[in-house]
Amino acid sequence: MTGDPDLLDDLLRLAAAGGAEVEVASDPAAARPRYTAAPLVVIGADQAESCLRARLPRRPRVVIVGRAQLAEAVWEVAELFGAEHVAVLPTAEPWLVDRFAERYDARAGRVLAVIGGRGGAGASVLAGGLAVTAVSAGLRTLLVDADPLGGGLDLVLGWEQVDGLRWPALTGTGGRVDPPALLRALPHRGDLVLLSFSRDEPPAVPGEAMAATLDAARRGRDAIVADLPRHLDDAAALALQAADRALIVVPAELRATAAAARVTAAAAVHCDRLEVVVRGPAPGRLKAREIASALGLPLAGTLRPEPHLCQALERGEAPAADGRGPLAELCRRLIDDLVAGTHSPAAA
């Protein structure tokens, strides 16, 4: 990321020497859509202060690059921004070629975000069902509870008694964690790992903690399902930016659709891969495709009412665990699409 054409020429030359494919952005706005997912971020000194002002989230493997006699302010910004290194050219050219030559796992875990179009839309239940279904499909999965005011995904899974770290334990890491150690320390059963809130601590997710979690999960899990709040904080925005696909769950009601329009407008700033899941019943006979059209989003699927689902959740049974019913059917299709990297059209 640089607006300096001479520095860009140098960086492209060094990247070519390291055999790296690069994406070029001239400023933080252009870089934001790929900022989280990129295995390495190289920021020209000319854009360092802009990145700080743009509040790009902290993340691992960020290098700020400039030429000899960098201004002292660049070093200060690097520390505030959380950059791991400041490289000064031409001295650091061999080191930077080595960074470009490093090979990162191309099988990075795929991220699926879920947001409720209004309160009580059923986003948490869908997120839990997607995670359970992903594990049934043989995927190592992380389920992330990022909604501070939700009831807790541990309750959705029936895991409130399962030991492991919660969000408060990650807030002091400074964005640096050991991925295998993090995943081992979280509540888990089999191939499903959960990161949720502690009920005796103020609910908050710092952006750097979310960045560290996503980085660890992409390297150690096949699928990451994130349940996000309707009012997007920094952590939720970061998860949306990293998402391969984001689903907005909307009950088939007029007011719910109006509320979801506001959620959609806020989410679209951070993710251009938004789709809608419409949940019945439809008391006013609104059709799913009418709701999707009103929101200007593709229809990812529909959910018919399941009378026994609420009772099963109260008994501590995870959603879609038995593999039967409309929820399990939709989750299977969405997980298959996520793994394949496709977006199958929903049935009418």
Side-chain angles (χ1 to χ4, degrees):
M1 183 197 320
T2 180
D4 181 337
D6 294 331
L7 180 60
L8 177 59
D9 287 344
D10 286 339
L11 292 174
L12 291 176
R13 171 176 54 82
L14 297 174
E21 283 189 34
V22 299
E23 293 187 39
V24 178
S26 60
D27 55 36
R32 193 180 290 274
R34 291 289 296 151
Y35 181 79
T36 303
L40 175 69
V41 174
V42 179
I43 300 173
D46 62 296
Q47 292 299 315
E49 290 190 42
S50 296
C51 290
L52 191 61
R53 288 195 301 269
R55 299 183 67 196
L56 289 181
R58 289 195 177 212
R59 52 147 291 164
R61 297 191 296 278
V62 173
V63 180
I64 293 179
V65 180
R67 293 193 179 80
Q69 306 188 345
L70 279 175
E72 185 176 340
V74 173
W75 298 89
E76 295 173 356
V77 168
E79 183 174 356
L80 292 171
F81 189 62
E84 292 185 350
H85 302 280
V86 176
V88 180
L89 304 182
T91 307
E93 286 193 359
W95 178 86
L96 196 53
V97 169
D98 288 343
R99 300 292 75 72
F100 280 125
E102 288 178 357
R103 293 294 173 257
Y104 301 94
D105 190 354
R107 300 167 298 170
R110 300 184 70 81
V111 179
L112 180 57
V114 184
I115 310 173
R118 69 148 198 213
S124 295
V125 173
L126 177 58
L130 287 165
V132 169
T133 302
V135 171
S136 298
L139 304 177
R140 300 168 302 160
T141 303
L142 172 65
L143 177 58
V144 180
D145 186 354
D147 186 354
L149 299 182
L153 287 182
D154 54 346
L155 291 174
V156 171
L157 296 180
W159 283 25
E160 59 268 32
Q161 301 302 322
V162 179
D163 292 332
L165 298 182
R166 265 65 173 178
W167 274 117
L170 303 182
T171 58
T173 63
R176 293 175 174 82
V177 297
D178 177 62
L182 170 64
L183 295 171
R184 286 194 302 269
L186 298 176
H188 59 276
R189 286 179 177 171
D191 280 335
L192 179 56
V193 178
L194 171 67
L195 177 53
S196 61
F197 293 93
S198 173
R199 288 181 176 78
D200 57 359
E201 296 281 347
V205 183
E208 56 267 26
M210 177 63 81
T213 298
L214 290 172
D215 180 64
R218 278 187 174 277
R219 290 189 276 163
R221 301 278 95 180
D222 303 309
I224 304 100
V225 180
D227 182 22
L228 305 183
R230 290 179 296 127
H231 300 286
L232 300 175
D233 53 17
D234 287 347
L238 178 57
L240 267 179
Q241 292 163 20
D244 297 282
R245 191 177 189 183
L247 306 172
I248 297 181
V249 184
V250 185
E253 303 167 9
L254 181 61
R255 288 186 64 211
T257 303
R262 297 182 179 182
V263 175
T264 298
V269 174
H270 306 285
C271 180
D272 59 2
R273 297 166 295 280
L274 297 175
E275 300 175 60
V276 63
V277 171
V278 176
R279 181 173 65 81
R285 300 182 181 273
L286 272 177
K287 298 184 182 302
R289 293 203 177 276
E290 292 173 341
I291 294 173
S293 176
L295 297 176
L297 296 178
L299 178 62
T302 59
L303 282 172
R304 299 189 305 276
E306 293 189 66
H308 302 298
L309 180 59
C310 291
Q311 294 93 324
L313 291 172
E314 290 292 317
R315 293 193 298 268
E317 299 175 15
D322 62 4
R324 298 193 299 270
L327 175 64
E329 181 181 340
L330 176 64
C331 288
R332 277 195 298 272
R333 182 169 60 78
L334 292 174
I335 291 299
D336 288 345
D337 290 349
L338 183 72
V339 172
T342 61
H343 294 186
S344 299

